[in-house]
Amino acid sequence: MTQPQGALLVGSVNYDDAETTMRTAADLLGSRLRRLPDGEVGKRFHWIMFQPDVLGQAEGIERVGDQPIPFPAGIDARGLRIAEGADAAAIELPALGYASAAIESYAVFTRLREEGAVPAGIRFQVSLPTPLAVISSFFGGDDRAAIEPVYTAAILRELDDILVAIPHGDLAVQWDVASEMGIIERASGYGAVMEAWWPGDPFDGLVARLAALVDAVPADVEVGVHLCYGDAGEKHFFEPTDAANLVRYANAVVAASARPLTWLHLPVPIARDDEGYFAPLTSLVPVSELYLGLVHREDGAEGAARRIAAAAPFAPEFGVATECGIGRAPAGSTEGILRTHAEVAAAW
């Protein structure tokens, strides 16, 4: 069996704080990692679900419904709309929370590196959602097109603040890309068909949007793309037939981007240890680092080995990851998942 080289932590990790996440991951995975996230702890634990509480503070944006929809961590899961008579272009959004979290966690990262708990040469990884994820999840109708440039500018301000605060040689930025795959697949999502809101071919619009985000990261900062089919209750919003649409989208984004991707992550469903799923990987354009999300907590190293063997004829060089973040994995399972990465992947 081909042994993959390297491991990627996609983002969320089910520990209570950034220090525990980074200490544990560095200890268990060490030289298998080229970058280290903070685990998306705190209000980011449920990915973008905290964003409505942030955006709802802006004048000109209001919550849908009169009563909060309770969600874990004290989050109100109600959607958003542009208030009647409000000019979307004039709405001033508050800080979204990503830059402040990154800066706080980077201070922990540097302290741990100085202590020797984090090896030298590992970069600090910041995962950011694409604007499309937040817009498609929490706005509806014509509000989506109206708020898109406003929210896109806000997430790019978060990125700029991160770029100012964290030395570029220490930084890696990952764009988390899930809703885009839902639109490509015409998936029903978690109850509604996921649709584009711009004219023309939806695929072309998805490519242009993600390529622009990749290019927003300076050349001296690493940039990665994590493609995903969702992780609500450890379930996908769509079960792909094979990796063909993942490859098609990745190839198009690489071609449209002015700078190269540092890494690309593609998910692998737990049930797919057959050649049919992986065969489209032969058409994937070369990327510096490819990670296949074939580690699953339910079947550990044995299941990962089956999927590695199935993938190897079609992708001779790749590292391993989970198919999505592991922040929502059951409590107590995190260390086992990390150890599985170490069992099946070689060090760099």
Side-chain angles (χ1 to χ4, degrees):
M1 181 188 74
T2 298
Q3 185 174 25
Q5 184 176 44
L8 174 75
L9 295 180
V10 176
S12 63
V13 178
N14 195 359
Y15 288 126
D16 291 337
D17 58 86
E19 179 164 348
T20 301
T21 298
M22 290 190 273
R23 278 189 183 276
T24 307
D27 178 56
L28 295 178
L29 295 175
S31 57
R32 293 172 179 80
L33 295 176
R34 285 186 162 173
R35 48 201 70 90
L36 188 63
D38 70 353
E40 299 179 12
V41 295
K43 62 186 179 183
R44 294 169 295 136
F45 182 80
H46 296 282
W47 195 38
I48 59 174
M49 290 303 298
F50 75 101
Q51 284 294 279
D53 284 335
V54 174
L55 302 180
Q57 302 171 33
E59 185 175 350
I61 293 180
E62 56 190 25
R63 306 304 293 268
V64 176
D66 296 328
Q67 297 298 321
I69 299 175
F71 196 81
I75 292 170
D76 177 0
R78 282 181 296 167
L80 300 161
R81 64 189 172 207
I82 298 172
E84 186 174 355
D87 177 7
I91 293 174
E92 296 183 5
L93 297 182
L96 303 181
Y98 294 103
S100 59
I103 294 166
E104 180 180 347
S105 292
Y106 177 68
V108 177
F109 174 87
T110 54
R111 173 169 57 79
L112 294 178
R113 185 172 60 186
E114 290 167 2
E115 294 175 6
V118 170
I122 289 182
R123 292 194 181 216
F124 177 65
Q125 178 181 322
V126 176
S127 298
L128 298 172
T130 62
L132 186 140
V134 174
I135 295 161
S136 65
S137 296
F138 302 119
F139 289 90
D142 293 340
D143 284 356
R144 291 177 168 181
I147 202 65
E148 183 176 15
V150 179
Y151 189 83
T152 300
I155 200 74
L156 291 177
R157 286 195 297 273
E158 298 286 307
L159 174 62
D160 287 343
D161 289 346
I162 292 167
L163 292 169
V164 169
I166 299 177
H168 290 195
D170 275 355
L171 183 60
V173 173
Q174 176 176 278
W175 292 107
D176 292 340
V177 184
S179 300
E180 289 83 349
M181 294 310 304
I183 293 173
I184 289 170
E185 302 282 8
R186 294 286 297 161
S188 59
Y190 300 113
V193 175
M194 304 170 79
E195 296 180 318
W197 53 83
W198 52 87
D201 188 334
F203 185 80
D204 292 343
L206 294 170
V207 171
R209 284 162 170 78
L210 184 52
L213 294 174
V214 169
D215 288 343
V217 180
D220 57 349
V221 174
E222 293 185 343
V223 66
V225 165
H226 154 50
L227 298 184
C228 187
Y229 283 102
D231 184 38
E234 296 187 285
K235 299 292 184 181
H236 300 146
F237 55 70
F238 181 85
E239 290 295 343
T241 302
D242 54 33
N245 277 334
L246 295 164
V247 169
R248 177 184 174 226
Y249 189 37
N251 284 349
V253 171
V254 168
S257 303
R259 62 154 296 170
L261 283 182
T262 313
W263 78 92
L264 171 67
H265 168 276
L266 303 180
V268 180
I270 189 170
R272 305 307 298 271
D273 56 8
D274 57 290
E275 292 187 352
Y277 183 81
F278 297 101
L281 295 179
T282 58
S283 300
L284 183 66
V285 298
V287 293
S288 295
E289 299 172 37
L290 171 65
Y291 293 92
L292 298 181
L294 47 74
V295 171
H296 292 267
R297 68 172 180 83
E298 294 90 342
D299 59 10
E302 185 275 331
R306 291 199 314 272
R307 290 181 281 275
I308 290 167
F314 309 103
E317 295 183 6
F318 60 88
V320 303
T322 50
E323 63 178 349
C324 196
I326 58 177
R328 274 78 62 193
S333 66
T334 303
E335 183 172 325
I337 297 170
L338 296 177
R339 289 189 183 278
T340 298
H341 287 74
E343 289 180 51
V344 299
W348 287 102

